[in-house]
């Protein structure tokens, strides 16, 4: 009797195992919020029949994949910022893929040269300036933020935040460590207050007259414009795409990586290709007022209204190499006070 039971149990279990193995699915661990990615995943499932299971968390997903080891169900990791994408790669949790479709649709500067991560959306690190207190041509370049004319008029979030570290790293990549440190010291000396709050808090501070100029990610302008309480903050500033006469505006990305232990690799690659395509690119970028990574895809009307601009095309993989130096520099100049 006991034997029969265990045979029966084994039979049930193997059926279950087969069902799991043959189910058409793909598992995504995401630091990006569900409302941003779910519409595209639903469209993918409708078109392919492949189910997308999502685990969303604000932190700890990398640690979770490490803990789960080879048995991790995760196929793909979604995150923002070159720093986080690079950290997943450095932790050894990704595998490279060489895929002609992805390489064609995602520009070289927005993907790892070895195929460990691919950008899906991009954002410009823009300067915003008070419409009332800053002249049209007063601020044109990131370098201007260190000019004595802006003494006591600049606000930013902490220099240690990934967005700031990437910007500083991009300036190192485009000039030198020495020049960047001189610049960062100049910006620190121009600060109206100790770095604090998120990007939107800087715009609020401009609205309230605490500062005149700030650095923020472009999509926050869209987020504020479509938010009743924050729309007046956005309305108090002018968007400046820095460095149009030279290297262009610094760009960062949100992106995806295929995990080293991906149990559903074929489906995962299908999803990656789908997300680089026109329809998903448009949906994804529009959700958060970002730029599609794929340059052939149309921008949303709101983002389009900010105008065309020249982007800094320094590869993010190159910028990532200067992140540690940039983060140390923030401490050396005492940026956060
Ligand atoms: Fe953000």
């Amino acid at each position: 009797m006991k034997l029969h039971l265990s045979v029966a149990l084994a039979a049930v279990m193997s059926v279950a195992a087969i069902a799991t193995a043959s189910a058409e699915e793909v598992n995504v661990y995401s630091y990006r919020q569900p409302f941003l990615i779910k519409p595209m995943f639903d469209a993918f499932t409708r078109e392919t029949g492949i189910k997308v299971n999502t685990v969303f968390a604000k932190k700890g997903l990398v640690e979770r994949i490490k803990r789960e080891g080879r048995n991790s169900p995760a196929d793909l990791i979604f995150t923002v910022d070159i720093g986080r994408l690079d950290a997943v790669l450095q932790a050894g949790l990704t595998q490279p893929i060489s895929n002609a479709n992805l390489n064609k649709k995602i520009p070289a500067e927005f993907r790892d040269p070895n195929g460990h991560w691919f950008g899906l959306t991009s954002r410009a690190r823009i300067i915003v300036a008070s419409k009332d207190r800053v002249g049209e041509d007063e601020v044109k370049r990131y370098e201007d933020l260190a000019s004595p004319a802006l003494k006591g008029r600049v606000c930013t979030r902490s220099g240690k935040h990934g967005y700031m570290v990437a910007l500083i790293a991009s300036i190192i990549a485009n000039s030198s460590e020495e020049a960047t440190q001189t610049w960062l010291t100049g910006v620190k000396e121009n600060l109206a207050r100790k770095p604090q709050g998120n990007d939107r808090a800087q715009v609020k501070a401009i609205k309230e007259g605490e500062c005149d100029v700030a650095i923020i990610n472009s999509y926050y302008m869209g987020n504020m414009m479509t938010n009743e309480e924050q729309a007046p903050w956005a309305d108090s500033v002018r968007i400046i795409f820095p460095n149009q006469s030279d290297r262009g505006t610094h760009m960062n990305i949100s992106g995806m990586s295929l995990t080293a232990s991906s149990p559903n690799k074929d489906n995962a690659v299908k999803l990656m290709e789908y997300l680089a395509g026109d329809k998903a690119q448009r949906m994804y970028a529009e959700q958060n007022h970002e730029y599609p990574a794929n340059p052939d895809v149309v921008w949303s009307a709101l983002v389009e209204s900010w105008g065309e601009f020249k982007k800094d095309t320094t590869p993010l993989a190159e910028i990532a190499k200067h992140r540690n130096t940039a983060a140390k520099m923030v401490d050396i100049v005492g940026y956060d006070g």
Side-chain angles (χ1 to χ4, degrees), residues 127-135 138-139 145 149-156 190-193 202-215 236-238 240:
I127 295 175
V128 289
S130 164
K131 283 178 182 166
D132 300 337
R133 301 184 300 276
V134 180
E138 211 180 323
V139 183
L145 298 173
L150 291 183
K151 185 121 200 128
R153 300 170 69 192
V154 179
C155 278
T156 76
N190 283 346
L191 290 176
R193 60 178 188 178
Q202 315 313 316
V203 185
K204 181 171 186 257
I206 293 177
K207 164 76 181 162
E208 290 168 352
E210 211 175 332
C211 26
D212 294 344
V213 177
I215 315 173
S236 74
V237 299
R238 184 183 328 116
I240 298 163

Side-chain angles (χ1 to χ4, degrees), residues 263-324:
N264 307 290
K265 184 174 167 181
D266 289 351
N267 289 343
V269 172
K270 272 184 205 157
L271 179 57
M272 292 174 96
E273 291 182 290
Y274 182 81
L275 295 177
D278 292 17
K279 185 176 170 186
Q281 278 284 295
R282 177 126 202 217
M283 285 172 93
Y284 198 4
E286 187 147 17
Q287 285 287 339
N288 195 36
H289 312 292
E290 290 182 86
Y291 298 95
N294 180 339
D296 297 333
V297 176
V298 199
W299 299 354
S300 77
L302 178 60
V303 168
E304 183 86 57
S305 74
W306 301 334
E308 290 278 343
F309 64 100
K310 182 181 176 185
K311 300 170 186 170
D312 179 355
T313 54
T314 308
L316 280 167
E318 185 60 35
I319 290 172
K321 292 179 191 160
H322 300 286
R323 284 190 77 260
N324 283 341

Side-chain angles (χ1 to χ4, degrees), residues 32 80 123 157 161 163 199 217 219-220 223 288:
R32 297 223 86 189
V80 293
R123 56 279 295 281
R157 73 191 312 160
H161 189 276
Y163 302 160
D199 278 357
N217 279 355
Y219 56 87
Y220 288 119
N223 292 342
N288 195 36

